[in-house]
């Protein structure tokens, strides 16, 4: 069945450094990938989405490129800010059902 | 647009009691999803309605959990005979259709079973 893997449970960085959060997926369908961000005590919100192979998508300084050849959709930012501290979920819509399949999430903690 | 509304925001029940959680989706959205979020399990899909009809309940525990959508403006998740392991944040989300469309999440209901 469809699945999403996020390998890092916790990423701790100093403000101003670059970050990459890993996301790989498995599906037999044409994938639609999402990144959701959840700040403390808030609802998850959509950050990025893509279904186009090898095209970079950007929002709020974050960017990701869907690579179907490696089944990856890693989230990156060139310079993290304190306000980026949050839980980041990668999610897959693979067409095998109507629901999104979420990864386990990566907690990003940015230190001064 | 008020976004997805969930009530109550917090609920505390004793073991064995019933809990009913409410969700009001964004007006015009035809898809409603329920999720459960815990530290250990992360974000788990429970069930999905489209145009008020139940489409996929594959994530619902077979016993004690039920969900309904009696009209387009609200959905309920009912947990009978609550157990401590039911303690979680229950999130409701809505979208235009489902699947590939952006899901808008409500603030969640934090259920604590003592």
């Amino acid at each position: 069945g469809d699945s999403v893997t996020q390998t890092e449970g916790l990423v701790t960085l100093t403000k101003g450094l670059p970050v990459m959060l890993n996301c790989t997926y498995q599906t037999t369908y044409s994938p639609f990938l999402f990144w959701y961000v959840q700040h403390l005590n808030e609802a998850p919100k959509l950050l990025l989405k893509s279904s186009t192979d090898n095209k970079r998508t950007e929002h709020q300084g974050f960017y990701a490129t869907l690579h179907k050849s490696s089944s990856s959709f890693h989230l990156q930012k060139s310079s993290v800010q304190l306000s980026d501290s949050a839980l980041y979920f990668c999610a897959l819509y693979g067409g095998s059902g109507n629901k999104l399949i979420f990864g386990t999430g990566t907690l990003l903690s940015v230190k001064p | 647009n008020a976004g997805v509304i969930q009530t109550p925001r917090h609920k505390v029940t004793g073991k064995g009691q019933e809990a009913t959680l409410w969700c009001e989706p964004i007006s015009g959205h035809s898809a409603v999803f329920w999720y459960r979020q815990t530290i250990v399990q992360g974000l788990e899909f429970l069930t999905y309605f489209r145009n008020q009809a139940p489409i996929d309940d594959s994530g619902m525990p077979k016993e004690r959990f039920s969900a309904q959508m009696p009209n387009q403006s609200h959905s309920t998740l009912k947990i009978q005979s609550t157990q401590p392991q039911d303690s979680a944040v229950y999130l409701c989300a809505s979208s235009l259709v489902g699947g590939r469309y952006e899901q808008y999440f409500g603030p969640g209901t934090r259920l604590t079973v003592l």
Side-chain angles (χ1 to χ4, degrees):
Chain A
D2 295 350
S3 66
V4 174
T5 301
Q6 294 182 249
T7 53
E8 308 101 351
L10 171 65
V11 172
T12 303
L13 286 172
T14 301
K15 172 186 170 183
L17 290 180
V19 66
M20 184 171 83
L21 306 183
N22 291 314
C23 173
T24 56
Y25 63 90
Q26 284 189 317
T27 183
T28 56
Y29 296 86
S30 183
F32 210 109
L33 273 294
F34 302 79
W35 276 101
Y36 280 82
V37 57
Q38 185 178 26
H39 287 92
L40 187 62
N41 295 324
E42 294 185 9
K45 294 179 183 177
L46 180 67
L47 182 59
L48 292 172
K49 61 181 179 181
S50 180
S51 62
T52 306
D53 198 12
N54 297 318
K55 181 180 179 181
R56 176 165 151 160
T57 183
E58 300 186 37
H59 185 61
Q60 296 182 338
F62 286 91
Y63 59 95
T65 303
L66 176 60
H67 292 296
K68 293 183 181 181
S69 60
S70 58
S71 299
S72 67
F73 190 57
H74 305 319
L75 181 67
Q76 297 180 266
K77 191 174 186 183
S78 58
S79 175
V80 294
Q81 305 302 309
L82 296 176
S83 58
D84 294 329
S85 294
L87 188 56
Y88 292 81
F89 291 99
C90 183
L92 163 71
Y93 172 72
S96 64
N98 298 287
K99 58 185 180 284
L100 288 180
I101 306 298
F102 283 88
T104 50
T106 297
L107 182 61
L108 175 62
S109 176
V110 181
K111 306 297 185 184
Chain B
N1 192 329
V4 176
I5 298 171
Q6 288 189 252
T7 55
R9 293 294 309 276
H10 303 273
K11 186 169 183 67
V12 179
T13 65
K15 182 179 176 180
Q17 292 183 328
E18 182 178 288
T20 300
L21 313 180
W22 294 72
C23 171
E24 181 178 330
I26 293 173
S27 177
H29 283 189
S30 58
V32 172
F33 303 82
W34 283 96
Y35 296 89
R36 177 169 63 182
Q37 185 174 24
T38 62
I39 297 294
V40 175
Q41 298 294 331
L43 206 57
E44 299 176 278
F45 167 81
L46 294 176
T47 190
Y48 160 53
F49 294 86
R50 186 173 65 223
N51 294 323
Q52 301 171 230
I55 301 298
D56 183 349
D57 66 354
S58 59
M60 292 277 275
K62 295 309 176 190
E63 297 179 358
R64 302 187 296 105
F65 282 65
S66 63
Q68 293 184 321
M69 191 161 184
N71 57 60
Q72 63 185 8
S73 63
H74 89 272
S75 174
T76 58
L77 179 67
K78 182 181 292 186
I79 309 172
Q80 296 178 312
S81 185
T82 54
Q83 303 297 311
Q85 61 265 30
D86 299 331
S87 296
V89 175
Y90 290 83
L91 291 164
C92 176
S94 70
S95 72
L96 282 173
V97 176
R100 66 184 61 210
Y101 293 94
E102 176 180 355
Q103 293 186 21
Y104 294 81
F105 285 82
T109 295
R110 181 175 296 278
L111 175 66
T112 302
V113 182
L114 302 176

